[in-house]
Amino acid sequence: MLKTIIKEFSKLVNENSNFILKIFIAKIINKPIEQIFFENLNLSSTEIDTLKKYIDEYLAGKPVSKIIHESCFYGYNFYVNEDVLDPRMDTEILVDAVIHDFKNHTAPLTILDICTGSGVILLTLLKELPNSSGIGLDISDKALYVAKKNCNNLNLSKRANFIQSDFCNAINNEKYFSKFDIIVSNPPYVKTKDIQNLDKSVINYDPLIALDGGKNGTDAYLRILGEIGQLLTPNGKVYFEIGYDILDDVKQIVSESEFSLQKIIKDLHNIDRVLVLNKKSLKN
């Protein structure tokens, strides 16, 4: 039966068909993918049925990560579902930037992650910066369920707290108010009119609320920059991921705020991807 499935799947999926099947089987039998060899496999009828289900979902356009509920980001495995964005390599550029700036910082660090989603940015930074602790904010209680699950899986529950909040509303009140050395955000930044042009795997399996940045794709930046002034420590930094076509608009919003643009970091495709900001009172 497995040989037939492999043969038929390869006809339907010309590229990486065997690799995709190995990912599915590794998940089903709970073994590392490097230990999956087709010639040595003897799957039960239940396992075969699960494999067929995965294949049907994949052929229907569902991303592999959303099928197996697992995605790798910065070398760590994260639980994902349709309530959160699938972590993307572009966001690793933001994480790299923070680590570069703070890896030699010996004093305790505090991190605020706005629009945290699955929590990948905050949790990865906590793993990479052992002297840090942080808070993740998201308006979606379903996304926060995923973030808390990932937090527990990575044994970070003593250093991270996740709070339901419309941007920074909750953190700006007396109960949670604090100041942060690092503020990060990968907010929704797709222009509303461009949503319909996204890949079907994104439109159908990523939450719209995490994608739609409003008419100009900049609604979230305007909101966040208006709310974090009192939350950043004097020498703290803000890190934004941005879309490929909104740089000028976001720069204009920054220029009218109490923050200065310190630097712009490009991604692997030479596209402006991350903005680093600090308080205007500081020299760049």
Side-chain angles (χ1 to χ4, degrees):
M1 175 63 74
L2 181 58
K3 289 182 179 180
T4 302
I5 291 174
I6 295 170
K7 183 178 180 180
E8 292 301 316
F9 189 67
S10 66
K11 291 179 182 178
L12 297 170
V13 182
N14 295 324
E15 189 174 352
N16 298 323
S17 61
N18 282 356
F19 181 66
I20 293 167
L21 284 179
K22 286 185 177 182
I23 292 174
F24 290 158
I25 293 169
K27 183 67 175 181
I28 292 167
I29 66 175
N30 194 28
K31 282 189 176 181
I33 191 170
E34 59 269 18
Q35 294 182 16
I36 304 301
F37 301 98
F38 292 146
E39 59 271 20
N40 298 329
L41 285 174
N42 184 22
L43 300 183
S44 69
S45 59
T46 301
E47 291 167 340
I48 288 290
D49 288 343
T50 302
L51 179 59
K52 288 180 178 178
K53 174 178 174 291
Y54 285 179
I55 289 172
D56 287 344
E57 291 177 333
Y58 180 80
L59 295 176
K62 194 171 186 176
V64 170
S65 61
K66 298 295 175 71
I67 294 171
I68 65 172
H69 296 300
E70 187 175 300
S71 185
C72 184
F73 180 84
Y74 219 84
Y76 301 102
N77 288 329
F78 289 90
Y79 172 82
V80 294
N81 62 20
E82 293 172 36
D83 297 319
V84 296
L85 291 178
D86 200 5
R88 289 162 172 86
M89 285 190 64
D90 290 336
T91 306
E92 294 191 357
I93 305 296
L94 185 154
V95 171
D96 276 334
V98 177
I99 294 171
H100 175 270
D101 290 344
F102 287 92
K103 64 184 176 181
N104 295 321
H105 198 281
T106 56
L109 291 166
T110 50
I111 304 171
L112 177 64
D113 182 11
I114 306 166
C115 305
T116 191
S118 61
V120 295
I121 297 176
L122 175 60
L123 297 173
T124 300
L125 289 174
L126 295 184
K127 294 294 284 188
E128 295 294 315
L129 300 171
N131 61 331
S132 63
S133 60
I135 293 175
L137 305 177
D138 206 287
I139 195 172
S140 168
D141 57 343
K142 292 181 178 179
L144 291 173
Y145 168 82
V146 175
K148 291 173 183 177
K149 185 179 180 72
N150 284 320
C151 183
N152 290 331
N153 289 344
L154 291 170
N155 299 313
L156 289 169
S157 57
K158 292 182 178 179
R159 294 167 54 201
N161 189 18
F162 292 93
I163 302 167
Q164 188 172 18
S165 178
D166 182 11
F167 291 99
C168 299
N169 278 358
I171 204 71
N172 267 317
N173 68 34
E174 292 182 4
K175 180 178 179 182
Y176 295 114
F177 180 77
S178 182
K179 286 189 177 289
F180 299 88
D181 304 297
I182 302 165
I183 296 179
V184 296
S185 186
N186 176 21
Y189 55 67
V190 181
K191 295 176 182 177
T192 301
K193 66 179 178 62
D194 293 335
I195 296 289
Q196 62 184 352
N197 300 323
L198 295 174
D199 190 275
K200 295 298 184 184
S201 64
V202 176
I203 296 174
N204 294 334
Y205 299 102
D206 278 344
L208 179 62
I209 193 174
L211 297 168
D212 192 344
K215 181 180 179 180
N216 298 315
T218 57
D219 286 3
Y221 303 96
L222 184 62
R223 179 82 181 270
I224 292 170
L225 286 171
E227 296 181 359
I228 61 173
Q230 64 175 339
L231 299 175
L232 189 69
T233 57
N235 293 304
K237 293 184 180 182
V238 180
Y239 299 79
F240 280 132
E241 181 173 328
I242 64 168
Y244 74 95
D245 58 347
I246 62 171
L247 175 63
D248 289 341
D249 287 338
V250 177
K251 285 172 65 177
Q252 181 63 34
I253 293 171
V254 172
S255 71
E256 297 171 358
S257 74
E258 58 188 290
F259 298 91
S260 293
L261 178 58
Q262 184 183 34
K263 59 183 173 180
I264 302 171
I265 302 172
K266 296 182 181 295
D267 63 19
L268 297 177
H269 301 289
N270 205 38
I271 295 171
D272 297 317
R273 184 60 61 186
V274 174
L275 304 186
V276 184
L277 317 178
N278 56 18
K279 287 288 188 74
K280 278 183 176 175
S281 57
L282 297 177
K283 291 183 180 181
N284 292 333

